Amino acid sequence: MIPLNPPDPVRLAAVAELCTLPDPYRRDAASDKLFVRAMREICAWHIARCPFYARLAALLDFTPERLATVADCAHIPPIHANFFKQHEVLSIDRAAITNHLTSSGTTGQKSQMFFDAWTLGVGQAMVARIFARYGWHTPEQPTNYLIFNYEPVTGSKVGTAFTNQFLAQFAPVHRVAYALRHSGGGRHEYDPFGCIRALQEYADEGLPVRLLGFPAFLHATLERMRALELDQLRLNPASLVFFGGGWKKDAQRAVPKAELYALIEDWLGIPNLRIRDGYGAVEYSVPSIECDRHRLHVPVYSRVFARDVATLEPLGPGQTGFLHAVSPYITSAPAHSVLMGDLIQWQPGEECGCGLSTPYFELLGRAGTAKNRSCAMAAAELLK
Amino acid sequence: MAHTHLWRGEWIDDRELADRLPNLAATLAEDCQQPLDLPGLYRAGDALAAELNQRGALYDRLADELAQTGDSPADRAATLATLADFLRAETLEYQVLRAFGDPAPFTPRRIAYAEHRFEAWAPLGVLGHVTPANVRGVAAMSLIEGLLAGNINLLKTSRQDGLFTQKVLRALVEREPALKPFVYVLRLSSQQSETLGALFALCDGVAVWGGEDAVAAVRALTPPAARLIEWGHRISFAYVARESSSDPAILRALAHDVCFIEQQACSSPQCLYLETDDPAELHAFAERFAAVLAEVAPTIPRGQPPGLHEQAEITTTRELCRLNGAMDDSRVIEAPDRSWRLLVEPKPGLRASPLFRTLWIKPLPVAAIAATLRPLRAYLQTAALACPLERLADISRALLAAGVTRIAQPGAQVGGYLGAPHDGVYSLQRYARRVSLELPASVQGITSFAELEAPPPLPPDAAAAPVMDKAGFLALPTDAAAAHLYFKSGGSSGDPKVAVFSHADYARQMRAAADGLYAAGLDPVRDRCMNLFFAGHLYGSFISFWSVLEQLRAVQLPMTAIDDSAEVAAIIERFQVNTLLGMPFYLVRLFQDQGERLKRYGGVRKIFYGGEHFPPAERARLQREFGVDIIRSAAYGSNDAGPMGYQCPHCEGGVHHVLSTQCLEILALDEDRPVAADEVGRLIVTPLARTAQAIRRYETGDLGRWAGPCPCGRRAPRFELMGRYGDLFRAPYFFSYARFVHILAEHAGYDAESQILLTQGESGRSRITLRLSDQTPLTTDQVRDIVLAHYPDLREFVMEHGLTEFAVERAPLAQFVVTPISGKLKHVVDLRQEDHSA
């Protein structure tokens, strides 16, 4: 990996050190101290370079010098992810923007985030470290890909499409197929028969297979195979399923994870251990990837809090609240303390039993209501 | 398997439902032929409402059902109270009247007299209802609205709902079994698309309540030919004009609306617009309003608190507004205990609030209303408007043009009134069709298909009531709120009484009388009418016929029964009057006094009379010498019971059709049983239109017998008048034998036999002769003076109007008339010519 430097290597030295720690899941007093220092640096960075964030900090009477412990970092002024949908706020010159990525939102406005070379690169490096740790970095092994996402059309800005291109770097691409085929005019159509054919051909070919993208479409493909009473397939045991992007299609009908994983094992022969989901969004792209026991451990580059939905108080383990993610990795925009629209509960790492020491969180669904229980119109309905 | 569906009044389970569904189409096709009886529905609703108000076993059962689905005691009580109010006959009828403009909306009725065009409302046929979970009472009321529009109803409740709706509707149809074929309540899941699709395929319309997703889902399952009636989610707001922005009373009222029921109603304000484009003014207003809200909010009881997601929505929205405050001029003002919050945003647009006392405050000059709000016109509902009177027209016009369907007052934004349009329509109109009939000339004289249909039966509550006499009638309580019109009531044994009518009753009766006059041959297009009935002293005859002719849109000259017959004749000639309406003796005298002139004129073709008999000799004379074609009764009726009968061209003498607004019984003279065949009996009338007084089985005092079917084609039954019964007689006003007796006893010291003889006087006037025994020392002049002195009505008619003659005679007892079998003295002997056409 090419070593990256943050935009100001002196002022952001702790940031650089933290974000390149070699063991993503090792938590100790030293990394905690480093984290706090990095957060002080990044807060000062954004206050100095983003007028909006400076105003916000002033309004809320916040100064980075106050941060002494990880717990203090909960009180770095959080910005709700939706804010970035409505406003462009930058801490760098427009010239330094390397990517402008949008999320594949299904309702309302799309998320967006601006990235500079450092932010994008350091995030990708985190992923690489995690892949390496789990033994998923196989540069010598040609691999077949079936990507449950949009077939690339030139100029696509959709974040998940970009991510999938990136993930394909960890094992060289022998063949690649897409589940959402381009059908002309920038539109895409889910192609179940194509997916089935790809899987069957990959099974015959015997190379390891990587299935990436939206779980809903993989589920639909397997259900189609079942409906057609096809033979179950046995893909190479070194195959890997790696999800991201959430359950698109129809959030009401999300199938429980255990059920889907069992289906994958039955129909494709990929062992449960090699089926992994991940959580990420353009507003918070520090990778949260499932451990061996399918739990989302927070890498050492970030800290996650659960915030009470009424009072915004930081909550203890096992209590439901907004996902509040704090990480100093992002220099391009003040998204270093982001309130996501997801509800979570967190637990200390030891509770998992997989050996990782960083805490993990459980996703409990989107926060907020699309519709009211009464006849009064809700915001989400109005937006349509 | 649980019985969760109500099928034509029966509880059935899923398996039975599956069995019955294939035959439903055939059943519905058959049932559609049968009209729904609205009065029966009103009765059932009223009975159910009364029972609910008594808080008996039914109330408890329904409350329990609501408790099972988690409703608090307060919510249960509110739901049942709203339902009871809705079910009252008065409320149901009012809805029908507001939406359809006619108490019998499905009966085709003439819309013009020059052409034979009829129109009516008609049910859609089969109406589906898809109701949301968690809004108690709406499902039952929706189905009942479907019934008010005459439809068969298939209602799908949510799987999450209990059986409240089924139980309510079962109770309703139990009280009126004729309603059973019109009610189906099925508890189906929205996932059962095949079953739902099959059901909606049978519907002529589907009413769907819910958000966009629910509406879209139903739309997808509904055939294109069916009418989709969507009652979707709506958004409401408040608008405050500049001049009103500091008024503390207005601010308090607005604060109330924000807090009331936690803003959960579609009419609750989610946003408040201030007429300004100055952010500083906006913020100043927000501060003022915040101070008021801080005072008002604690005084309004808190409802169910927000759940996890609702709270998350509130926090998210608030945080975003707060963050915007670092970018622009937005600001959050929140109660310290987070019980309310104002989101001040100086940007144009409409924002939905996460509710629970969260209000957006935004600027909106009047000129920008259209541009800002029109894009959302599909969702706009109520605007609470605070402005001075001089700006009311302009601002409300702008709001209505932008798509608002209801403007309300601050403080009463969540509310409305029964019978109001909802989301821009009268719901009943959306559940019905408007149909037209272009008919042949043979319908001349016919105003309503009610005349061609079998008459309605006596309502059950009337059938069970005893016969009501005059005393009973006078003792009837009158609703003070319905006491609008006061007319002199015909004769009694005491002081002159007054009959009281509500405007609604009067209008209904006048419409019925107009239909009757048209049936009798008055041509509203060609006839030029002069109204010569009496007016003044609270008499109703001139006024009634004024209204009748107005209803018919006939040419009318309002002369009244003036003394100057020369003036009358002159006007007749000058304005080419061809139709006269008045009392027989007045008309006869007119033709006597102005005979030459009227003979020369020769233009009077029709006479419609009321109040008394028309002397046959005079009738013949007018027809022979003056060329009058038609001399017919204008209407048969009384002040008390209203118009009761009319004559079509085939009705001779005293034969009348019963008006469709009345139910007539003829009971035997000596017992309360229906007469046989030709038997003469007492005419007992029950008005069918709801009246300000509950008149049931009123003994009119007239005698009659049934007459056979009529060649005119009408199925309204016919009866023949056969004179008076009892102590009251017409001459032409109602006088009472009992009164004469009383006066004789009290003031003349006479208590021996007396009787009244009625004969034809001069010019067709009635002559009352009071016959006394010749044993009395009193002279006839003495008695005459005493009676006139103590009987004001008689004095009026004899001395002032000269319409009645009065004489006293003394006769030996042998000459007194007695009833043949009993030998009893007859109180009133009517010797006037046997032409009982009045």
Side-chain angles (χ1 to χ4, degrees):
Chain A
M1 278 178 277
I2 304 167
L4 286 169
N5 279 323
D8 185 339
V10 172
R11 287 206 172 82
L12 300 171
V15 170
E17 197 187 329
L18 176 81
C19 293
T20 51
L21 285 175
D23 184 348
Y25 295 113
R26 179 180 161 158
R27 172 133 184 225
D28 54 29
S31 67
D32 276 355
K33 275 213 187 77
L34 181 58
F35 180 81
V36 176
R37 267 176 33 227
M39 289 313 300
R40 280 208 292 268
E41 284 179 352
I42 200 68
C43 286
W45 169 266
H46 288 302
I47 286 172
R49 307 198 45 124
C50 177
F52 156 73
Y53 197 71
R55 266 200 302 278
L56 186 65
L59 269 170
L60 297 171
D61 194 29
F62 168 77
T63 53
E65 293 69 43
R66 289 220 198 106
L67 298 174
T69 63
V70 171
D72 289 341
C73 293
H75 301 289
I76 299 170
I79 296 181
H80 198 283
N82 288 5
F83 181 79
F84 296 106
K85 296 187 192 189
Q86 296 155 16
H87 304 282
E88 279 185 12
V89 282
L90 297 171
S91 299
I92 50 173
D93 294 329
R94 294 203 87 90
I97 297 174
T98 55
N99 298 82
H100 171 215
L101 298 179
T102 58
S103 81
S104 47
T106 47
T107 60
Q109 293 166 283
K110 288 194 173 211
S111 290
Q112 59 172 358
M113 190 52 60
F114 296 89
F115 295 84
D116 54 20
W118 157 260
T119 307
L120 201 66
V122 74
Q124 290 177 344
M126 289 175 192
V127 175
R129 242 171 255 118
I130 293 171
F131 263 61
R133 192 199 195 288
Y134 285 121
W136 302 338
H137 188 213
T138 55
E140 310 303 317
Q141 176 59 62
T143 302
N144 282 332
Y145 286 84
L146 176 53
I147 302 187
F148 290 92
N149 210 313
Y150 300 98
E151 185 176 15
V153 180
T154 357
S156 168
K157 284 206 183 68
V158 179
T160 47
F162 177 84
T163 306
N164 288 305
Q165 306 279 57
F166 161 70
L167 289 175
Q169 291 168 22
F170 296 105
V173 177
H174 181 250
R175 289 171 55 181
V176 62
Y178 289 89
L180 304 180
R181 305 300 308 274
H182 182 223
S183 53
R187 288 182 303 276
H188 290 80
E189 220 177 277
Y190 164 54
D191 174 18
F193 295 107
C195 291
I196 293 173
R197 188 170 49 248
L199 288 168
Q200 287 169 335
E201 287 171 5
Y202 292 169
D204 288 343
E205 244 178 340
L207 291 175
V209 178
R210 289 198 175 184
L211 306 179
L212 312 175
F214 302 131
F217 291 104
L218 172 53
H219 179 256
T221 303
L222 298 176
E223 286 294 331
R224 180 69 64 102
M225 290 173 72
R226 189 220 296 269
L228 292 170
E229 293 176 347
L230 299 176
D231 289 334
Q232 292 181 334
L233 302 175
R234 287 293 164 266
L235 300 179
N236 186 309
S239 296
L240 183 68
V241 180
F242 192 73
F243 292 130
W247 191 279
K248 294 297 188 263
K249 238 182 124 186
D250 187 344
Q252 320 277 75
R253 301 183 185 214
V255 165
K257 231 178 355 188
E259 200 183 303
L260 175 59
Y261 291 9
L263 208 63
I264 295 168
E265 245 182 320
D266 285 346
W267 282 89
L268 302 177
I270 300 177
N272 180 283
L273 195 63
R274 293 186 74 83
I275 307 172
R276 304 297 184 95
D277 196 359
Y279 172 85
V282 290
E283 296 95 351
Y284 171 62
S285 39
V286 171
S288 305
I289 293 167
E290 278 186 351
C291 66
D292 292 350
R293 299 190 182 201
H294 305 295
R295 295 199 177 93
L296 297 166
H297 288 258
V298 182
V300 72
Y301 318 113
S302 167
R303 299 294 182 275
V304 162
F305 302 93
R307 306 298 289 260
D308 184 276
V309 297
T311 63
L312 288 182
E313 287 301 302
L315 297 169
Q319 294 178 293
T320 306
F322 289 118
L323 190 165
H324 175 210
V326 179
S327 172
Y329 80 109
I330 182 163
T331 50
S332 50
H336 54 292
S337 170
V338 182
L339 205 60
M340 301 299 292
D342 298 292
L343 292 173
I344 61 157
Q345 286 179 5
W346 68 270
Q347 295 290 349
E350 298 73 46
E351 290 293 315
C352 179
C354 68
L356 304 181
S357 57
T358 58
Y360 68 89
F361 63 91
E362 193 190 326
L363 281 167
L364 299 169
R366 300 290 297 167
T369 50
K371 31 189 185 186
N372 292 318
R373 59 170 123 109
S374 68
C375 52
M377 198 106 203
E381 291 182 281
L382 210 52
L383 279 172
K384 279 195 209 155
Chain B
M1 198 181 281
H3 288 73
T4 58
H5 313 293
L6 186 69
W7 183 280
R8 299 169 73 109
E10 242 190 286
W11 286 107
I12 63 171
D13 61 24
D14 288 335
R15 196 176 27 81
E16 288 166 301
L17 177 65
D19 286 343
R20 295 181 188 206
L21 278 176
N23 284 329
L24 184 56
T27 310
L28 292 175
E30 210 181 291
D31 288 338
C32 268
Q33 317 266 5
Q34 195 59 23
L36 187 147
D37 176 37
L38 278 179
L41 175 56
Y42 300 152
R43 281 194 299 271
D46 215 44
L48 197 50
E51 237 184 284
L52 288 176
N53 286 330
Q54 270 159 25
R55 308 280 173 120
L58 175 66
Y59 184 94
D60 289 338
R61 270 205 309 278
L62 293 175
D64 275 345
E65 190 60 50
L66 290 173
Q68 287 196 28
T69 38
D71 285 11
S72 69
D75 284 344
R76 282 176 241 157
T79 300
L80 290 169
T82 304
L83 189 63
D85 237 353
F86 180 85
L87 286 167
R88 284 167 51 229
E90 209 177 296
T91 314
L92 296 176
E93 282 190 73
Y94 182 72
Q95 277 223 68
V96 168
L97 230 45
R98 282 305 295 167
F100 295 138
D102 192 311
F106 309 124
T107 306
R109 200 183 156 79
R110 179 181 286 278
I111 60 165
Y113 292 99
E115 303 85 15
H116 300 302
R117 297 172 186 160
F118 285 57
E119 283 183 14
W121 289 97
L124 279 179
V126 178
L127 182 62
H129 304 252
V130 180
T131 51
N134 304 327
V135 190
R136 314 287 179 232
V138 167
M141 293 194 284
S142 185
L143 191 145
I144 293 170
E145 284 192 335
L147 290 172
L148 289 173
N151 295 295
I152 295 176
N153 300 273
L154 309 177
L155 186 143
K156 170 210 155 335
T157 67
S158 159
R159 272 242 119 92
Q160 297 156 264
D161 284 329
L163 298 173
F164 176 73
T165 306
Q166 287 88 324
K167 291 190 177 175
V168 169
L169 290 164
R170 180 148 195 271
L172 184 75
V173 303
E174 294 272 283
R175 279 147 192 75
E176 183 67 27
L179 291 173
K180 286 183 180 176
F182 294 88
V183 176
Y184 299 78
V185 183
L186 310 172
R187 192 163 86 163
L188 298 167
S189 149
S190 312
Q191 311 301 322
Q192 293 172 264
S193 2
E194 233 181 272
T195 310
L196 290 173
L199 281 172
F200 296 152
L202 301 172
C203 291
D204 300 285
V206 180
V208 51
W209 303 76
E212 301 247 304
D213 292 340
V215 174
V218 172
R219 190 178 276 121
L221 291 170
T222 306
R227 182 187 294 180
L228 189 76
I229 303 122
E230 57 93 10
W231 304 111
H233 288 176
R234 295 287 186 266
I235 185 169
S236 298
F237 58 91
Y239 190 87
V240 181
R242 180 169 279 123
E243 300 90 333
S244 307
S245 63
S246 299
D247 184 334
I250 289 178
L251 295 183
R252 296 188 78 82
L254 292 165
H256 166 272
D257 289 336
V258 173
C259 299
F260 185 65
I261 58 168
E262 307 308 306
Q263 260 180 316
Q264 295 290 314
C266 46
S267 50
S268 298
Q270 296 195 21
C271 184
L272 184 153
Y273 287 113
L274 178 66
E275 187 196 5
T276 184
D277 46 21
D278 175 6
E281 220 174 62
L282 189 73
H283 283 288
F285 172 82
E287 305 233 341
R288 284 199 299 279
F289 188 66
V292 173
L293 189 52
E295 275 177 37
V296 171
T299 69
I300 297 173
R302 308 217 60 165
Q304 228 186 322
L308 177 73
H309 288 279
E310 288 159 326
Q311 182 61 68
E313 190 72 26
I314 293 167
T315 303
T316 302
T317 312
R318 186 203 65 214
E319 281 306 298
L320 286 168
C321 187
R322 206 200 295 280
L323 287 169
N324 283 340
M327 291 283 289
D328 56 35
D329 240 341
S330 300
R331 183 184 166 198
V332 173
I333 308 177
E334 194 175 30
D337 63 355
R338 277 178 286 103
S339 57
W340 55 261
R341 62 215 62 75
L342 301 177
L343 308 174
V344 189
E345 189 176 69
K347 281 196 289 223
L350 177 64
R351 299 276 277 184
S353 146
L355 311 180
F356 297 95
R357 310 191 182 195
T358 309
L359 185 72
W360 287 99
I361 299 194
K362 292 166 77 59
L364 186 60
V366 175
I369 286 177
T372 305
L373 297 178
R374 242 183 82 81
L376 299 156
R377 63 189 173 283
Y379 311 114
L380 301 178
Q381 195 204 74
T382 303
L385 178 55
C387 71
L389 180 62
E390 357 10 310
R391 307 208 50 214
L392 182 59
D394 289 341
I395 301 180
S396 54
R397 188 184 316 122
L399 292 170
L400 294 172
V404 167
T405 56
R406 172 173 171 257
I407 293 187
Q409 287 193 72
Q413 178 157 7
V414 177
Y417 52 95
L418 280 168
H422 189 68
D423 292 344
V425 296
Y426 282 124
S427 52
L428 260 51
Q429 285 183 357
R430 292 284 284 148
Y431 296 158
R433 298 168 291 147
R434 185 79 181 157
V435 299
S436 65
L437 302 90
E438 291 157 72
L439 296 172
S442 52
V443 302
Q444 175 81 26
I446 293 175
T447 311
S448 161
F449 275 34
E451 300 169 51
L452 302 172
E453 285 162 2
L458 194 62
D461 58 339
V467 171
M468 179 189 293
D469 60 12
K470 182 79 168 184
F473 171 78
L474 292 172
L476 277 177
T478 312
D479 181 12
H484 300 146
L485 298 171
Y486 293 71
F487 291 124
K488 199 153 190 169
S489 169
S492 63
S493 50
D495 297 321
K497 283 291 196 285
V498 166
V500 181
F501 298 88
S502 65
H503 275 298
D505 286 346
Y506 177 77
R508 235 188 294 258
Q509 286 172 0
M510 290 306 104
R511 194 170 86 157
D515 294 354
L517 187 58
Y518 178 58
L522 189 133
D523 184 344
V525 178
R526 276 176 275 277
D527 289 348
R528 301 176 59 78
C529 311
M530 182 177 279
N531 187 346
L532 291 161
F533 280 100
F534 271 83
H537 303 280
L538 297 185
Y539 286 121
S541 44
F542 171 82
I543 292 169
S544 309
F545 281 100
W546 168 267
S547 296
V548 163
L549 290 171
E550 185 179 17
Q551 171 83 19
L552 293 169
R553 296 282 180 270
V555 170
Q556 177 172 197
L557 286 89
M559 185 59 74
T560 77
I562 62 169
D563 288 334
D564 187 347
S565 59
E567 183 184 330
V568 175
I571 299 291
I572 288 174
E573 206 177 346
R574 181 169 161 205
F575 292 107
Q576 298 290 292
V577 170
N578 60 12
T579 303
L580 303 179
L581 296 96
M583 307 275 258
F585 51 85
Y586 180 89
L587 296 169
V588 165
R589 203 170 60 197
L590 174 68
F591 277 90
Q592 277 173 2
D593 296 346
Q594 299 296 319
E596 285 310 304
R597 188 162 186 176
L598 290 173
K599 222 175 275 189
R600 257 197 327 270
Y601 168 62
V604 176
R605 287 283 159 269
K606 298 180 188 173
I607 287 177
F608 294 98
Y609 61 89
E612 255 196 334
H613 318 279
F614 207 104
E618 296 299 334
R619 173 197 293 269
R621 190 173 83 88
L622 289 173
Q623 285 171 323
R624 198 176 54 239
E625 296 179 24
F626 293 87
V628 178
D629 291 328
I630 296 174
I631 300 179
R632 209 168 276 149
S633 158
Y636 162 67
S638 76
N639 263 346
D640 301 338
M644 295 183 284
Y646 61 94
Q647 293 189 304
C648 75
H650 296 276
C651 293
E652 295 298 335
V655 177
H656 293 75
H657 284 278
V658 179
L659 267 172
S660 57
T661 49
Q662 306 283 13
C663 192
L664 181 71
E665 296 169 86
I666 303 183
L667 301 181
L669 287 172
D670 40 9
E671 42 172 325
D672 287 348
R673 62 162 174 83
V675 291
D678 270 357
E679 192 183 340
V680 172
R682 296 167 290 145
L683 299 185
I684 309 293
V685 76
T686 303
L688 292 171
R690 191 167 181 79
T691 61
Q693 296 166 302
I695 302 169
R696 296 193 191 112
R697 306 186 83 200
Y698 175 60
E699 194 175 76
T700 61
D702 288 326
L703 296 172
R705 64 182 171 198
W706 291 113
C710 192
C712 73
R714 289 181 177 81
R715 287 171 68 183
R718 296 201 305 171
F719 62 96
E720 186 182 355
L721 281 170
M722 306 290 291
R724 287 292 304 169
Y725 172 79
D727 279 358
L728 292 180
F729 57 93
R730 285 202 225 217
Y733 187 69
F734 274 105
F735 300 105
S736 164
Y737 167 79
R739 189 81 185 275
F740 284 92
V741 169
H742 175 82
I743 292 168
L744 286 171
E746 282 286 311
H747 303 286
Y750 178 91
D751 55 10
E753 291 82 357
S754 61
Q755 79 186 171
I756 298 282
L757 300 157
L758 297 174
T759 51
Q760 214 84 54
E762 269 180 54
S763 335
R765 273 194 301 211
S766 291
R767 184 183 175 87
I768 301 172
T769 304
L770 177 62
R771 175 179 281 172
L772 305 175
S773 161
D774 61 0
Q775 297 301 301
T776 178
L778 297 161
T779 68
T780 55
D781 284 341
Q782 269 175 321
V783 173
R784 187 166 188 277
D785 289 342
I786 289 169
V787 171
L788 284 171
H790 295 281
Y791 203 156
D793 285 341
L794 181 66
R795 185 170 63 246
E796 200 182 312
F797 269 76
V798 171
M799 313 293 274
E800 278 179 49
H801 304 318
L803 295 175
T804 309
E805 292 170 20
F806 176 57
V808 179
E809 76 173 26
R810 299 165 60 208
L813 281 180
Q815 258 181 45
F816 277 59
V817 180
V818 295
T819 47
I821 297 154
S822 64
K824 277 179 20 179
L825 184 67
K826 264 191 117 168
H827 292 171
V828 178
V829 184
D830 195 338
L831 299 166
R832 295 174 293 192
Q833 300 248 308
E834 295 288 291
D835 167 26
H836 303 276
S837 345

